[in-house]
Amino acid sequence: MAVAACRIKVWCENVQDREDEKVRAIYPDGMHNTIADGLRELLGEAASVSTATLHEPEHGLTQAVLDETEVLVWWGHFAHEDVEWDVVERVQSRVLNGMGLVVLHSAHLSRIFRTLMGTSCHVNWRDDDEEELVWTVAPGHPIAEGIPHPIVIPEQEMYGEFFDIPAPEELVFVSSFRGGEVFRSGCCFTRGLGRIFYFSPGHEMAPLYFDPVIRRVIANGVTWAAPSTPSGAVRDDSYYGELDWFRPSGVAPPWPPVETRVRPPQ
Amino acid sequence: MAVAACRIKVWCENVQDREDEKVRAIYPDGMHNTIADGLRELLGEAASVSTATLHEPEHGLTQAVLDETEVLVWWGHFAHEDVEWDVVERVQSRVLNGMGLVVLHSAHLSRIFRTLMGTSCHVNWRDDDEEELVWTVAPGHPIAEGIPHPIVIPEQEMYGEFFDIPAPEELVFVSSFRGGEVFRSGCCFTRGLGRIFYFSPGHEMAPLYFDPVIRRVIANGVTWAAPSTPSGAVRDDSYYGELDWFRPSGVAPPWPPVETRVRPPQ
Amino acid sequence: MAVAACRIKVWCENVQDREDEKVRAIYPDGMHNTIADGLRELLGEAASVSTATLHEPEHGLTQAVLDETEVLVWWGHFAHEDVEWDVVERVQSRVLNGMGLVVLHSAHLSRIFRTLMGTSCHVNWRDDDEEELVWTVAPGHPIAEGIPHPIVIPEQEMYGEFFDIPAPEELVFVSSFRGGEVFRSGCCFTRGLGRIFYFSPGHEMAPLYFDPVIRRVIANGVTWAAPSTPSGAVRDDSYYGELDWFRPSGVAPPWPPVETRVRPPQ
Amino acid sequence: MAVAACRIKVWCENVQDREDEKVRAIYPDGMHNTIADGLRELLGEAASVSTATLHEPEHGLTQAVLDETEVLVWWGHFAHEDVEWDVVERVQSRVLNGMGLVVLHSAHLSRIFRTLMGTSCHVNWRDDDEEELVWTVAPGHPIAEGIPHPIVIPEQEMYGEFFDIPAPEELVFVSSFRGGEVFRSGCCFTRGLGRIFYFSPGHEMAPLYFDPVIRRVIANGVTWAAPSTPSGAVRDDSYYGELDWFRPSGVAPPWPPVETRVRPPQ
């Protein structure tokens, strides 16, 4: 359970906060740095936080980087289709092998989230700067710890149901919007050994990632998604087990090479 | 709930039952025809059952065929990687739009199942002709209706945990094997509007698809997976909703073109 | 799966619709009869619907009546504490043995629902005749079949989160209210062999049980909750199993007397 | 997430380990002390562990004791019906308000577990000193951390399906027995704010609570069940909310007196 110096990588596409004047005015240091600052502020010595963006070679997510990452935070919007499938597969493999993943706002349509969900992840939406209320429906969940009920967000993009995801294993937050729509806004999933938390508030047109409550939700999500030491059940591939392999007289099957690719090469 | 004349397509790769003498001796008409016969026998007039195999153009799963299919049954083993990704995407899209999918035995590693799960779907396994016992852990579930507790299968391939799937939304059957392993052998999932049932017994080296109990499980699974009439919540894409679109004064958002592709083009 | 002539009992406490002039004006025949009429209208020959109320001996729910009931619909509000615990235990036992249960509106605080949930079932609430929107979050679920997205209810009592129930096994509907609150308004549970559907709209101060859409939800819920033929896994008590009892050479354990009481005698 | 000095109470009925010579030979200090020693050994300064038994006034579980308890560990067998319902209600209320509960072995039939589950909790069983294998089906779950796959227990009482519990929210372990039966042996539930972990190995006729692996599972379970600081969503009763109570202009509803009783007074 110890999350001491959990190695966290905040990945943002860094497109609108570089090219769109309005977004740049809100996030002059880039959204990735603002989100990372929030985690540093709240997790302190319990975390080691760095960032990466779309523009770096391999989007800053080389195998070596991912191997050292325990929780990856992902924000994307305009450039989902510019993320290389090779990188997506690499991230998926790391999640299946235990890396936590926190997916924010419009990253519901990112390649990595859709790949891990197996669904379209589409939503109903409206960009009308309307009030969002985020209600806790699992008050004993660690991600809800210290979060007001409800969170009142004055101006947000509306995301509404039907949100095409598999039923969350744990549903933590449900939002309503001034226009009347509802949204499953805080959702937990497990894939392989990895834990995934999706949190929808975080429109690029509002300074939400400076907000202390939103920062707290994300920090809680990162803490929840941080991996335990993998147990003995971990295998990266199908493998053959001789009869009684697990008994003293048995022979444990050889550890197979890591191969969890579920997508075609380009 | 009515499943009158439910349109069922049984798809098998038809490789071993064509090329491997031993399998051919067990399934001289092909596994697809045997499975289809079992459904015809048990569902009678409630079903209209046809078959398709890998060897047909587009594997027999053209868009027109899928559009008319309400439940697709899938068996594959040796030739998973020969199934075209275009067909896989087409099947995925149909599942998200409501088509039921029943996945059998070694099809846990099929492209379509891995795509819908988002995980590796790997298992521990052993081919040692050992007894499998299939225990019901959800006795009120419609798929368990009329099924003995346990099902005793004299000789089966062992599939053991850890089975790398998302936690099933409903777990119906758990198996044990003579060697001591256990396996979540009957698992229900929902993806989009579609229902998916995975059932693991069905090794090609045993005549299981002639067995009345196994046939009953598959027929129950098909019945469970058959779609309801889609409700008003169905959308195939993200879509914009004007304020109050759902009120009498509102304007419903235009229906967008169908596009649920979550994979790269080849 | 056939629900032909499903035997349905609609139970209402029949207190406000007898003693409160305003409620009586809305439901002159009693809520139980109105709800029953809705089921007869929509299910036709597939259902045999009768009613019972608090005022009958044993509240109209003798063992003989329950033994013949396949789905019980329950509405209560003012008189929860007047329902005898003996009857509650009897109903619980029937649910565990496969009877479906549809729990409506303020019956979230009924003894039978709290007993089956194990929680307080408390909610936030407000009686302010405000608009409720009921959104489908599981559009492929049979209970959502044919239901508009959203259902627009002009005037309703507000029920808000946190709703102290175990996480629903299937969450079908989520409501929002004009005041901003949200509520998990359509929830599915399984207890023993029995299926339970809770649906919150149905304030006694509005003629909702005459509404065709609300009637359709309840009819869908009853159909979903109707039991399958119990499978071989059904047992009413702990029981001893000799080694190999399930094999041809084995001896099946004797069927024990039914005893599922989990509450103290008064 | 910090569980520093988590206040843990180990409750055992202490009947067989006092009166039955064979059990006393295995647990000369009582099962409660052995279990407590295991927690002290593994959790060290992170835990403050004390014990209580059936024989103390109010079974050692006064309101004051429970108010200070963060996780309660429960083992019972012969004396379930000797536990006062008043104490059971008090424990239930504390669980709903956030106290963790770890339920061991034959305590599946304890009043507190049955009350929280809402079901009979019956199992199939056989006392034949046979091998149990405990397989991890959720290898990324914190309770599986460091646990071998499988745990091999040479001699155990058999508990088999159907285990009449609600579907676990998280299924961590599944056991098989030499006789072929399977059992959902590690199950997580949430009730109100409280987390509940059931773990079945622990027959009083074997020295399992001295076993380092079994101790590790229990310590992991206690750590997982330890409460977070209650969030703002916590309410102990239904409560009225004026329109806009959660907005700056609104008036928060008064905090109601604590009352979560769901059972009848004796």
Side-chain angles (χ1 to χ4, degrees), chain A residues 1 131 133 139 142 144-145 178 193 195 223 228-229 231 247, chain D residues 1 131 139 142 144-145 178 193 195 223 228-229 231-232 246-247:
Chain A
M1 301 305 245
E131 187 187 66
L133 303 172
E145 188 178 344
R178 207 51 175 162
L193 300 185
R195 296 161 167 238
T223 303
S228 310
T229 306
S231 84
R247 293 199 175 85
Chain D
M1 300 304 250
E131 187 187 68
E145 187 178 346
R178 207 52 175 161
L193 300 186
R195 294 161 168 239
T223 303
S228 309
T229 305
S231 84
F246 51 82
R247 294 199 175 85

PDB file of all heavy atoms in Angstrom, chain A residues 1 131 133 139 142 144-145 178 193 195 223 228-229 231 247, chain D residues 1 131 139 142 144-145 178 193 195 223 228-229 231-232 246-247:
ATOM      1  N   MET A   1       0.817  -1.199   0.000  1.00  0.00           N
ATOM      2  CA  MET A   1       0.000   0.000   0.000  1.00  0.00           C
ATOM      3  C   MET A   1       0.858   1.259   0.000  1.00  0.00           C
ATOM      4  O   MET A   1       0.359   2.336  -0.290  1.00  0.00           O
ATOM      5  CB  MET A   1      -0.892   0.041   1.241  1.00  0.00           C
ATOM      6  CG  MET A   1      -1.807  -1.127   1.356  1.00  0.00           C
ATOM      7  SD  MET A   1      -2.811  -1.353  -0.091  1.00  0.00           S
ATOM      8  CE  MET A   1      -4.421  -1.040   0.607  1.00  0.00           C
ATOM      9  N   GLU A 131     -23.147  25.149 -15.328  1.00  0.00           N
ATOM     10  CA  GLU A 131     -22.753  24.587 -14.036  1.00  0.00           C
ATOM     11  C   GLU A 131     -22.773  23.052 -14.063  1.00  0.00           C
ATOM     12  O   GLU A 131     -23.713  22.445 -14.556  1.00  0.00           O
ATOM     13  CB  GLU A 131     -23.719  25.077 -12.957  1.00  0.00           C
ATOM     14  CG  GLU A 131     -23.290  24.669 -11.550  1.00  0.00           C
ATOM     15  CD  GLU A 131     -24.354  25.024 -10.515  1.00  0.00           C
ATOM     16  OE1 GLU A 131     -25.457  24.444 -10.553  1.00  0.00           O
ATOM     17  OE2 GLU A 131     -24.075  25.900  -9.683  1.00  0.00           O
ATOM     18  N   LEU A 133     -22.434  19.797 -11.343  1.00  0.00           N
ATOM     19  CA  LEU A 133     -22.375  19.348  -9.947  1.00  0.00           C
ATOM     20  C   LEU A 133     -21.882  17.904  -9.951  1.00  0.00           C
ATOM     21  O   LEU A 133     -22.441  17.059 -10.656  1.00  0.00           O
ATOM     22  CB  LEU A 133     -23.762  19.412  -9.309  1.00  0.00           C
ATOM     23  CG  LEU A 133     -24.437  20.790  -9.336  1.00  0.00           C
ATOM     24  CD1 LEU A 133     -25.881  20.668  -8.855  1.00  0.00           C
ATOM     25  CD2 LEU A 133     -23.667  21.780  -8.472  1.00  0.00           C
ATOM     26  N   PRO A 139     -19.253   6.957  -1.115  1.00  0.00           N
ATOM     27  CA  PRO A 139     -18.550   7.834  -0.164  1.00  0.00           C
ATOM     28  C   PRO A 139     -17.441   7.134   0.622  1.00  0.00           C
ATOM     29  O   PRO A 139     -16.586   7.818   1.180  1.00  0.00           O
ATOM     30  CB  PRO A 139     -19.669   8.320   0.760  1.00  0.00           C
ATOM     31  CG  PRO A 139     -20.780   7.351   0.589  1.00  0.00           C
ATOM     32  CD  PRO A 139     -20.684   6.824  -0.811  1.00  0.00           C
ATOM     33  N   PRO A 142     -11.738   5.359  -1.554  1.00  0.00           N
ATOM     34  CA  PRO A 142     -10.594   6.239  -1.294  1.00  0.00           C
ATOM     35  C   PRO A 142     -10.521   7.446  -2.222  1.00  0.00           C
ATOM     36  O   PRO A 142     -10.003   8.489  -1.817  1.00  0.00           O
ATOM     37  CB  PRO A 142      -9.373   5.328  -1.495  1.00  0.00           C
ATOM     38  CG  PRO A 142      -9.857   3.955  -1.706  1.00  0.00           C
ATOM     39  CD  PRO A 142     -11.352   3.953  -1.723  1.00  0.00           C
ATOM     40  N   ALA A 144     -12.938   9.275  -3.090  1.00  0.00           N
ATOM     41  CA  ALA A 144     -13.873  10.301  -2.594  1.00  0.00           C
ATOM     42  C   ALA A 144     -13.391  10.968  -1.320  1.00  0.00           C
ATOM     43  O   ALA A 144     -14.030  11.896  -0.825  1.00  0.00           O
ATOM     44  CB  ALA A 144     -15.242   9.664  -2.360  1.00  0.00           C
ATOM     45  N   GLU A 145     -12.262  10.521  -0.817  1.00  0.00           N
ATOM     46  CA  GLU A 145     -11.789  11.018   0.477  1.00  0.00           C
ATOM     47  C   GLU A 145     -11.553  12.530   0.442  1.00  0.00           C
ATOM     48  O   GLU A 145     -10.770  13.040  -0.356  1.00  0.00           O
ATOM     49  CB  GLU A 145     -10.495  10.290   0.859  1.00  0.00           C
ATOM     50  CG  GLU A 145     -10.056  10.615   2.260  1.00  0.00           C
ATOM     51  CD  GLU A 145      -8.794   9.861   2.651  1.00  0.00           C
ATOM     52  OE1 GLU A 145      -8.427   8.877   1.974  1.00  0.00           O
ATOM     53  OE2 GLU A 145      -8.157  10.279   3.635  1.00  0.00           O
ATOM     54  N   ARG A 178     -26.508  21.919 -15.597  1.00  0.00           N
ATOM     55  CA  ARG A 178     -27.616  22.861 -15.498  1.00  0.00           C
ATOM     56  C   ARG A 178     -28.680  22.562 -16.539  1.00  0.00           C
ATOM     57  O   ARG A 178     -29.869  22.773 -16.314  1.00  0.00           O
ATOM     58  CB  ARG A 178     -27.088  24.298 -15.650  1.00  0.00           C
ATOM     59  CG  ARG A 178     -27.935  25.331 -14.948  1.00  0.00           C
ATOM     60  CD  ARG A 178     -28.195  24.966 -13.501  1.00  0.00           C
ATOM     61  NE  ARG A 178     -28.916  26.016 -12.779  1.00  0.00           N
ATOM     62  CZ  ARG A 178     -29.553  25.824 -11.629  1.00  0.00           C
ATOM     63  NH1 ARG A 178     -29.585  24.619 -11.066  1.00  0.00           N
ATOM     64  NH2 ARG A 178     -30.149  26.805 -11.008  1.00  0.00           N
ATOM     65  N   LEU A 193      -3.381  -6.353 -14.495  1.00  0.00           N
ATOM     66  CA  LEU A 193      -3.012  -5.932 -13.149  1.00  0.00           C
ATOM     67  C   LEU A 193      -3.219  -4.448 -12.926  1.00  0.00           C
ATOM     68  O   LEU A 193      -2.982  -3.943 -11.829  1.00  0.00           O
ATOM     69  CB  LEU A 193      -1.535  -6.243 -12.889  1.00  0.00           C
ATOM     70  CG  LEU A 193      -1.099  -7.694 -12.990  1.00  0.00           C
ATOM     71  CD1 LEU A 193       0.357  -7.823 -12.576  1.00  0.00           C
ATOM     72  CD2 LEU A 193      -1.960  -8.568 -12.105  1.00  0.00           C
ATOM     73  N   ARG A 195      -4.915  -0.593 -12.773  1.00  0.00           N
ATOM     74  CA  ARG A 195      -6.133   0.093 -12.373  1.00  0.00           C
ATOM     75  C   ARG A 195      -6.267   1.381 -13.161  1.00  0.00           C
ATOM     76  O   ARG A 195      -5.296   2.111 -13.338  1.00  0.00           O
ATOM     77  CB  ARG A 195      -6.072   0.449 -10.890  1.00  0.00           C
ATOM     78  CG  ARG A 195      -6.017  -0.745  -9.983  1.00  0.00           C
ATOM     79  CD  ARG A 195      -5.508  -0.323  -8.618  1.00  0.00           C
ATOM     80  NE  ARG A 195      -5.737  -1.358  -7.655  1.00  0.00           N
ATOM     81  CZ  ARG A 195      -6.441  -1.213  -6.535  1.00  0.00           C
ATOM     82  NH1 ARG A 195      -6.950  -0.033  -6.215  1.00  0.00           N
ATOM     83  NH2 ARG A 195      -6.609  -2.211  -5.721  1.00  0.00           N
ATOM     84  N   THR A 223      -3.284   7.895  -6.359  1.00  0.00           N
ATOM     85  CA  THR A 223      -2.942   7.050  -5.213  1.00  0.00           C
ATOM     86  C   THR A 223      -3.658   5.709  -5.291  1.00  0.00           C
ATOM     87  O   THR A 223      -3.082   4.651  -5.050  1.00  0.00           O
ATOM     88  CB  THR A 223      -3.315   7.775  -3.903  1.00  0.00           C
ATOM     89  OG1 THR A 223      -2.630   9.030  -3.877  1.00  0.00           O
ATOM     90  CG2 THR A 223      -2.927   6.960  -2.693  1.00  0.00           C
ATOM     91  N   SER A 228       0.202  -2.256  -6.443  1.00  0.00           N
ATOM     92  CA  SER A 228       0.802  -3.069  -5.401  1.00  0.00           C
ATOM     93  C   SER A 228       1.978  -3.812  -6.039  1.00  0.00           C
ATOM     94  O   SER A 228       2.109  -3.882  -7.254  1.00  0.00           O
ATOM     95  CB  SER A 228      -0.209  -4.105  -4.895  1.00  0.00           C
ATOM     96  OG  SER A 228      -1.424  -3.481  -4.592  1.00  0.00           O
ATOM     97  N   THR A 229       2.810  -4.359  -5.217  1.00  0.00           N
ATOM     98  CA  THR A 229       3.802  -5.279  -5.739  1.00  0.00           C
ATOM     99  C   THR A 229       3.059  -6.412  -6.428  1.00  0.00           C
ATOM    100  O   THR A 229       2.156  -6.987  -5.846  1.00  0.00           O
ATOM    101  CB  THR A 229       4.640  -5.873  -4.599  1.00  0.00           C
ATOM    102  OG1 THR A 229       5.175  -4.788  -3.849  1.00  0.00           O
ATOM    103  CG2 THR A 229       5.756  -6.742  -5.147  1.00  0.00           C
ATOM    104  N   SER A 231       1.614  -9.750  -7.503  1.00  0.00           N
ATOM    105  CA  SER A 231       1.539 -11.011  -6.768  1.00  0.00           C
ATOM    106  C   SER A 231       2.050 -12.149  -7.646  1.00  0.00           C
ATOM    107  O   SER A 231       2.384 -11.957  -8.806  1.00  0.00           O
ATOM    108  CB  SER A 231       0.108 -11.291  -6.363  1.00  0.00           C
ATOM    109  OG  SER A 231      -0.580 -11.908  -7.431  1.00  0.00           O
ATOM    110  N   ARG A 247       2.877 -27.890  -6.921  1.00  0.00           N
ATOM    111  CA  ARG A 247       3.156 -28.663  -5.709  1.00  0.00           C
ATOM    112  C   ARG A 247       4.665 -28.865  -5.602  1.00  0.00           C
ATOM    113  O   ARG A 247       5.388 -28.709  -6.581  1.00  0.00           O
ATOM    114  CB  ARG A 247       2.437 -30.002  -5.750  1.00  0.00           C
ATOM    115  CG  ARG A 247       0.921 -29.852  -5.686  1.00  0.00           C
ATOM    116  CD  ARG A 247       0.240 -31.126  -5.261  1.00  0.00           C
ATOM    117  NE  ARG A 247      -1.196 -30.876  -5.101  1.00  0.00           N
ATOM    118  CZ  ARG A 247      -2.096 -30.923  -6.082  1.00  0.00           C
ATOM    119  NH1 ARG A 247      -1.708 -31.228  -7.300  1.00  0.00           N
ATOM    120  NH2 ARG A 247      -3.357 -30.652  -5.844  1.00  0.00           N
TER     121      ARG A 247
ATOM    122  N   MET D   1      -4.585   7.238   2.536  1.00  0.00           N
ATOM    123  CA  MET D   1      -4.240   5.834   2.437  1.00  0.00           C
ATOM    124  C   MET D   1      -3.452   5.380   3.655  1.00  0.00           C
ATOM    125  O   MET D   1      -3.330   4.189   3.897  1.00  0.00           O
ATOM    126  CB  MET D   1      -3.382   5.584   1.205  1.00  0.00           C
ATOM    127  CG  MET D   1      -4.071   5.953  -0.075  1.00  0.00           C
ATOM    128  SD  MET D   1      -5.640   5.085  -0.262  1.00  0.00           S
ATOM    129  CE  MET D   1      -5.238   3.970  -1.592  1.00  0.00           C
ATOM    130  N   GLU D 131      -7.099 -31.345   0.703  1.00  0.00           N
ATOM    131  CA  GLU D 131      -6.310 -30.221   0.209  1.00  0.00           C
ATOM    132  C   GLU D 131      -7.202 -29.128  -0.382  1.00  0.00           C
ATOM    133  O   GLU D 131      -8.120 -29.411  -1.145  1.00  0.00           O
ATOM    134  CB  GLU D 131      -5.345 -30.705  -0.866  1.00  0.00           C
ATOM    135  CG  GLU D 131      -4.366 -29.635  -1.334  1.00  0.00           C
ATOM    136  CD  GLU D 131      -3.535 -30.108  -2.512  1.00  0.00           C
ATOM    137  OE1 GLU D 131      -4.117 -30.291  -3.618  1.00  0.00           O
ATOM    138  OE2 GLU D 131      -2.324 -30.296  -2.343  1.00  0.00           O
ATOM    139  N   PRO D 139      -5.254 -10.422  -9.615  1.00  0.00           N
ATOM    140  CA  PRO D 139      -3.861 -10.301  -9.152  1.00  0.00           C
ATOM    141  C   PRO D 139      -3.415  -8.871  -8.893  1.00  0.00           C
ATOM    142  O   PRO D 139      -2.420  -8.660  -8.198  1.00  0.00           O
ATOM    143  CB  PRO D 139      -3.054 -10.935 -10.291  1.00  0.00           C
ATOM    144  CG  PRO D 139      -3.955 -10.921 -11.473  1.00  0.00           C
ATOM    145  CD  PRO D 139      -5.357 -11.019 -10.950  1.00  0.00           C
ATOM    146  N   PRO D 142      -5.086  -5.163  -3.997  1.00  0.00           N
ATOM    147  CA  PRO D 142      -4.152  -5.063  -2.860  1.00  0.00           C
ATOM    148  C   PRO D 142      -4.201  -6.263  -1.915  1.00  0.00           C
ATOM    149  O   PRO D 142      -3.192  -6.584  -1.284  1.00  0.00           O
ATOM    150  CB  PRO D 142      -4.594  -3.785  -2.129  1.00  0.00           C
ATOM    151  CG  PRO D 142      -5.624  -3.128  -2.965  1.00  0.00           C
ATOM    152  CD  PRO D 142      -5.935  -3.976  -4.143  1.00  0.00           C
ATOM    153  N   ALA D 144      -4.328  -9.300  -2.754  1.00  0.00           N
ATOM    154  CA  ALA D 144      -3.527 -10.386  -3.340  1.00  0.00           C
ATOM    155  C   ALA D 144      -2.033 -10.113  -3.277  1.00  0.00           C
ATOM    156  O   ALA D 144      -1.227 -10.968  -3.673  1.00  0.00           O
ATOM    157  CB  ALA D 144      -3.952 -10.600  -4.795  1.00  0.00           C
ATOM    158  N   GLU D 145      -1.666  -8.951  -2.773  1.00  0.00           N
ATOM    159  CA  GLU D 145      -0.251  -8.563  -2.802  1.00  0.00           C
ATOM    160  C   GLU D 145       0.616  -9.550  -2.023  1.00  0.00           C
ATOM    161  O   GLU D 145       0.395  -9.793  -0.833  1.00  0.00           O
ATOM    162  CB  GLU D 145      -0.110  -7.155  -2.215  1.00  0.00           C
ATOM    163  CG  GLU D 145       1.293  -6.618  -2.367  1.00  0.00           C
ATOM    164  CD  GLU D 145       1.394  -5.195  -1.822  1.00  0.00           C
ATOM    165  OE1 GLU D 145       0.358  -4.556  -1.580  1.00  0.00           O
ATOM    166  OE2 GLU D 145       2.537  -4.744  -1.614  1.00  0.00           O
ATOM    167  N   ARG D 178      -9.769 -30.988  -3.108  1.00  0.00           N
ATOM    168  CA  ARG D 178      -9.378 -32.258  -3.700  1.00  0.00           C
ATOM    169  C   ARG D 178     -10.583 -33.023  -4.193  1.00  0.00           C
ATOM    170  O   ARG D 178     -10.508 -33.774  -5.169  1.00  0.00           O
ATOM    171  CB  ARG D 178      -8.588 -33.073  -2.656  1.00  0.00           C
ATOM    172  CG  ARG D 178      -7.604 -34.052  -3.272  1.00  0.00           C
ATOM    173  CD  ARG D 178      -6.697 -33.368  -4.293  1.00  0.00           C
ATOM    174  NE  ARG D 178      -5.671 -34.274  -4.809  1.00  0.00           N
ATOM    175  CZ  ARG D 178      -4.996 -34.070  -5.929  1.00  0.00           C
ATOM    176  NH1 ARG D 178      -5.197 -32.986  -6.658  1.00  0.00           N
ATOM    177  NH2 ARG D 178      -4.079 -34.927  -6.318  1.00  0.00           N
ATOM    178  N   LEU D 193     -20.511   3.184   4.167  1.00  0.00           N
ATOM    179  CA  LEU D 193     -19.117   3.606   4.013  1.00  0.00           C
ATOM    180  C   LEU D 193     -18.144   2.484   4.308  1.00  0.00           C
ATOM    181  O   LEU D 193     -16.938   2.665   4.192  1.00  0.00           O
ATOM    182  CB  LEU D 193     -18.807   4.759   4.971  1.00  0.00           C
ATOM    183  CG  LEU D 193     -19.622   6.027   4.800  1.00  0.00           C
ATOM    184  CD1 LEU D 193     -19.081   7.096   5.731  1.00  0.00           C
ATOM    185  CD2 LEU D 193     -19.566   6.503   3.364  1.00  0.00           C
ATOM    186  N   ARG D 195     -16.171  -1.229   4.345  1.00  0.00           N
ATOM    187  CA  ARG D 195     -15.694  -2.262   3.441  1.00  0.00           C
ATOM    188  C   ARG D 195     -15.636  -3.586   4.192  1.00  0.00           C
ATOM    189  O   ARG D 195     -15.185  -3.638   5.337  1.00  0.00           O
ATOM    190  CB  ARG D 195     -14.287  -1.936   2.957  1.00  0.00           C
ATOM    191  CG  ARG D 195     -14.223  -0.691   2.099  1.00  0.00           C
ATOM    192  CD  ARG D 195     -12.789  -0.195   2.058  1.00  0.00           C
ATOM    193  NE  ARG D 195     -12.638   0.795   1.038  1.00  0.00           N
ATOM    194  CZ  ARG D 195     -11.784   0.690   0.012  1.00  0.00           C
ATOM    195  NH1 ARG D 195     -10.973  -0.350  -0.079  1.00  0.00           N
ATOM    196  NH2 ARG D 195     -11.707   1.638  -0.880  1.00  0.00           N
ATOM    197  N   THR D 223      -5.914  -4.071   5.964  1.00  0.00           N
ATOM    198  CA  THR D 223      -5.410  -2.822   5.390  1.00  0.00           C
ATOM    199  C   THR D 223      -6.365  -2.282   4.342  1.00  0.00           C
ATOM    200  O   THR D 223      -6.671  -1.087   4.290  1.00  0.00           O
ATOM    201  CB  THR D 223      -4.020  -3.066   4.762  1.00  0.00           C
ATOM    202  OG1 THR D 223      -3.167  -3.596   5.774  1.00  0.00           O
ATOM    203  CG2 THR D 223      -3.432  -1.781   4.214  1.00  0.00           C
ATOM    204  N   SER D 228     -11.075   5.275   4.923  1.00  0.00           N
ATOM    205  CA  SER D 228     -10.574   6.612   4.616  1.00  0.00           C
ATOM    206  C   SER D 228     -11.274   7.569   5.574  1.00  0.00           C
ATOM    207  O   SER D 228     -12.273   7.234   6.200  1.00  0.00           O
ATOM    208  CB  SER D 228     -10.943   6.995   3.181  1.00  0.00           C
ATOM    209  OG  SER D 228     -10.562   5.975   2.303  1.00  0.00           O
ATOM    210  N   THR D 229     -10.769   8.755   5.648  1.00  0.00           N
ATOM    211  CA  THR D 229     -11.510   9.797   6.344  1.00  0.00           C
ATOM    212  C   THR D 229     -12.842   9.951   5.640  1.00  0.00           C
ATOM    213  O   THR D 229     -12.877  10.070   4.419  1.00  0.00           O
ATOM    214  CB  THR D 229     -10.752  11.135   6.248  1.00  0.00           C
ATOM    215  OG1 THR D 229      -9.446  10.936   6.741  1.00  0.00           O
ATOM    216  CG2 THR D 229     -11.471  12.208   7.063  1.00  0.00           C
ATOM    217  N   SER D 231     -15.854  11.153   3.690  1.00  0.00           N
ATOM    218  CA  SER D 231     -15.991  12.309   2.805  1.00  0.00           C
ATOM    219  C   SER D 231     -17.239  13.088   3.170  1.00  0.00           C
ATOM    220  O   SER D 231     -17.999  12.705   4.045  1.00  0.00           O
ATOM    221  CB  SER D 231     -16.098  11.838   1.361  1.00  0.00           C
ATOM    222  OG  SER D 231     -17.430  11.504   1.068  1.00  0.00           O
ATOM    223  N   GLY D 232     -17.448  14.172   2.460  1.00  0.00           N
ATOM    224  CA  GLY D 232     -18.604  15.027   2.707  1.00  0.00           C
ATOM    225  C   GLY D 232     -19.928  14.394   2.359  1.00  0.00           C
ATOM    226  O   GLY D 232     -20.977  14.951   2.653  1.00  0.00           O
ATOM    227  N   PHE D 246     -26.760  23.363  -1.310  1.00  0.00           N
ATOM    228  CA  PHE D 246     -25.324  23.160  -1.505  1.00  0.00           C
ATOM    229  C   PHE D 246     -24.655  24.356  -2.175  1.00  0.00           C
ATOM    230  O   PHE D 246     -23.449  24.334  -2.393  1.00  0.00           O
ATOM    231  CB  PHE D 246     -25.089  21.895  -2.329  1.00  0.00           C
ATOM    232  CG  PHE D 246     -25.886  21.848  -3.590  1.00  0.00           C
ATOM    233  CD1 PHE D 246     -25.443  22.507  -4.719  1.00  0.00           C
ATOM    234  CD2 PHE D 246     -27.106  21.175  -3.647  1.00  0.00           C
ATOM    235  CE1 PHE D 246     -26.181  22.483  -5.891  1.00  0.00           C
ATOM    236  CE2 PHE D 246     -27.846  21.146  -4.829  1.00  0.00           C
ATOM    237  CZ  PHE D 246     -27.384  21.793  -5.945  1.00  0.00           C
ATOM    238  N   ARG D 247     -25.443  25.376  -2.516  1.00  0.00           N
ATOM    239  CA  ARG D 247     -24.853  26.564  -3.134  1.00  0.00           C
ATOM    240  C   ARG D 247     -24.601  27.607  -2.055  1.00  0.00           C
ATOM    241  O   ARG D 247     -25.175  27.534  -0.966  1.00  0.00           O
ATOM    242  CB  ARG D 247     -25.784  27.116  -4.216  1.00  0.00           C
ATOM    243  CG  ARG D 247     -25.930  26.151  -5.390  1.00  0.00           C
ATOM    244  CD  ARG D 247     -26.437  26.850  -6.627  1.00  0.00           C
ATOM    245  NE  ARG D 247     -26.439  25.910  -7.751  1.00  0.00           N
ATOM    246  CZ  ARG D 247     -27.425  25.060  -8.024  1.00  0.00           C
ATOM    247  NH1 ARG D 247     -28.496  25.039  -7.279  1.00  0.00           N
ATOM    248  NH2 ARG D 247     -27.325  24.231  -9.047  1.00  0.00           N
TER     249      ARG D 247
END
